Amino acid sequence: MRIGDIDLGDRPVMLAPMEDVTDQSFRLICKELGADMTYSEFVSADALIRNIAATTRKLHIEPAERPTAIQIYGREVEPMVEAARIVEAARPDVLDINFGCPVKKVAGKGAGAGMLRDIPKMLEITREVVKAVSVPVTVKTRLGWDHNQKIIVELAEQLQDCGIKALTVHGRTRSQMYTGEADWEMIARVKENPRLNIPVIGNGDITTPEKLVEAFDRYGVDGVMVGRAAIGNPWIFHDMKQTLLHGNVPEPLTLHQKFGILRRQIDESIDRIDEYRGILHIRRHLAVSSLFKGLPFFRETRIRMLRANTKAELFEIIDEVEKMRTENVVSEVTPPME
């Protein structure tokens, strides 16, 4: 699969853009574990133009994590074009436009999935961004606004005509948010459209290597994007790539390796911000990690972990859990996510 001149190989697996999740550290870890491409956190066009420090920091890319896309969102043409030019100066491999975020503070203001209610403006933004930059432009969106407006097949053609180089489709409508099941049959219809020539990347409910293989074999997508299932479980990319290559996972990561990855995330989160805020940031990963599921007294352990305010406290709890698992007190459980 290719996005412009970027060759991602056969059946690429990508880390989805997620706010407060896909920071540089997490992207690099996922890349090392097998992700073929990663995406930044959401970058607000308006905040970028105003040079808000927390937003401009999201533009930093390390060479080792490439290829990486920076994703922008906004609701007006001129700010999106200006933001796209700023992003291009940061030299991402791909510039992705977010027309899929369903949360109220984004979609409710007309950006993200809110653009599904104003297709002419969505297409105008896409055309103008494509014209403004030389980096490949892609789009991530949903099936439509609600069940009665699943317009993605026609919309995909219109976006292609604007000049995008690939399209990611999350198999839900905006009104579904993250509830119900992703409709991969609709994603397949997009891919099967003979008038569509750009790569189609599927997204939604890919929580296991088996579901990944089904996405490629049954629905025919060119690439697959993994989102919430990677939070707290970045080694999912290792298992997925091993399954694609060998049909199974001949060399699974050990528990010690997985706990080491979580400790690294904590260390790098603290180094990037500070101890207090770094721990707050990483709690989202710890709260849902499969390493902590099924523990005796899980609720108490989780509360202790989420109340820990220092690295020393947090590492002490993690050491206890690793010891329990190593002694086969409890087996690891993969959480049902995304």
Side-chain angles (χ1 to χ4, degrees):
M1 173 185 149
R2 300 180 70 90
I3 298 178
D5 294 332
I6 303 165
D7 188 352
L8 297 174
D10 187 38
R11 296 187 166 197
V13 186
M14 306 167 184
L15 172 66
M18 291 177 282
E19 183 63 13
D20 293 327
V21 174
T22 56
D23 57 35
Q24 181 187 304
S25 170
F26 190 63
R27 296 196 306 264
L28 185 55
I29 289 170
C30 291
K31 174 68 175 177
E32 292 173 1
L33 290 170
D36 295 293
M37 184 170 176
T38 62
Y39 287 68
S40 72
E41 300 173 78
F42 308 159
V43 175
S44 163
D46 292 336
L48 193 57
I49 293 168
R50 296 199 306 271
N51 200 31
I52 303 299
T55 299
T56 58
R57 281 197 295 268
K58 295 178 181 180
L59 303 186
H60 184 70
I61 298 172
E62 286 291 331
E65 65 179 283
R66 292 184 182 276
T68 298
I70 293 177
Q71 187 188 75
I72 62 174
Y73 73 92
R75 60 181 180 178
E76 300 296 340
V77 176
E78 290 185 8
M80 285 289 282
V81 168
E82 186 176 348
R85 290 180 174 136
I86 296 171
V87 167
E88 183 177 35
R91 301 181 63 83
D93 300 283
V94 169
L95 191 158
D96 191 65
I97 304 177
N98 179 335
F99 291 141
C101 179
V103 300
K104 186 175 181 179
K105 68 178 183 179
V106 175
K109 296 178 180 179
M115 278 292 164
L116 289 163
R117 304 186 81 176
D118 191 347
I119 300 304
K121 182 175 281 189
M122 176 195 286
L123 298 177
E124 184 183 5
I125 287 173
T126 305
R127 276 193 301 269
E128 295 306 314
V129 167
V130 168
K131 287 194 298 186
V133 298
S134 58
V135 65
V137 176
T138 60
V139 162
K140 186 173 189 286
T141 190
R142 289 181 167 234
L143 304 181
W145 180 256
D146 57 28
H147 179 73
N148 296 318
Q149 298 181 51
K150 291 185 177 181
I151 59 172
I152 189 60
V153 176
E154 177 185 356
L155 178 60
E157 285 189 52
Q158 294 173 306
L159 289 167
Q160 175 179 256
D161 291 343
C162 292
I164 66 170
K165 300 301 183 184
L167 174 67
T168 301
V169 181
H170 182 104
R172 291 181 173 88
T173 62
R174 188 275 172 179
S175 63
Q176 283 183 274
M177 301 292 286
Y178 296 102
T179 63
E181 295 183 359
D183 186 348
W184 277 81
E185 295 291 345
M186 282 292 296
I187 298 175
R189 284 180 57 191
V190 176
K191 176 58 188 172
E192 292 165 359
N193 183 352
R195 293 183 294 276
L196 200 70
N197 303 312
I198 58 174
V200 174
I201 302 161
N203 174 232
D205 296 342
I206 303 300
T207 57
T208 65
E210 292 73 25
K211 289 187 176 182
L212 174 78
V213 172
E214 182 183 31
F216 284 117
D217 290 347
R218 179 175 176 181
Y219 300 108
V221 291
D222 299 289
V224 170
M225 189 174 281
V226 178
R228 289 176 295 156
I231 305 175
N233 302 278
W235 45 83
I236 193 172
F237 290 104
H238 171 273
D239 293 351
M240 286 179 166
K241 292 302 289 187
Q242 290 283 305
T243 300
L244 286 176
L245 290 171
H246 307 291
N248 57 12
V249 186
E251 297 181 8
L253 296 184
T254 65
L255 282 171
H256 182 67
Q257 288 174 311
K258 292 178 179 180
F259 278 104
I261 291 168
L262 288 188
R263 291 187 184 93
R264 173 183 167 186
Q265 285 187 257
I266 295 167
D267 277 332
E268 293 182 356
S269 182
I270 290 172
D271 289 345
R272 183 173 62 91
I273 316 174
D274 56 48
E275 185 170 44
Y276 177 72
R277 290 182 300 161
I279 288 172
L280 287 179
H281 172 75
I282 211 66
R283 283 176 179 171
R284 175 177 296 193
H285 295 264
L286 298 175
V288 298
S289 177
S290 59
L291 294 176
F292 300 100
K293 300 295 183 180
L295 288 171
F297 312 110
F298 168 70
R299 184 173 181 274
E300 291 82 353
T301 302
R302 186 175 185 272
I303 290 172
R304 283 177 59 210
M305 188 167 58
L306 297 182
R307 286 179 175 172
N309 291 317
T310 68
K311 173 181 167 180
E313 289 178 81
L314 203 48
F315 273 30
E316 181 180 354
I317 297 167
I318 291 173
D319 289 345
E320 291 174 9
V321 175
E322 181 177 6
K323 183 179 179 182
M324 279 193 290
R325 290 210 178 278
T326 302
E327 293 174 351
N328 295 319
V329 173
V330 59
S331 59
E332 184 182 354
V333 177
T334 301
M337 303 181 67
E338 197 181 23

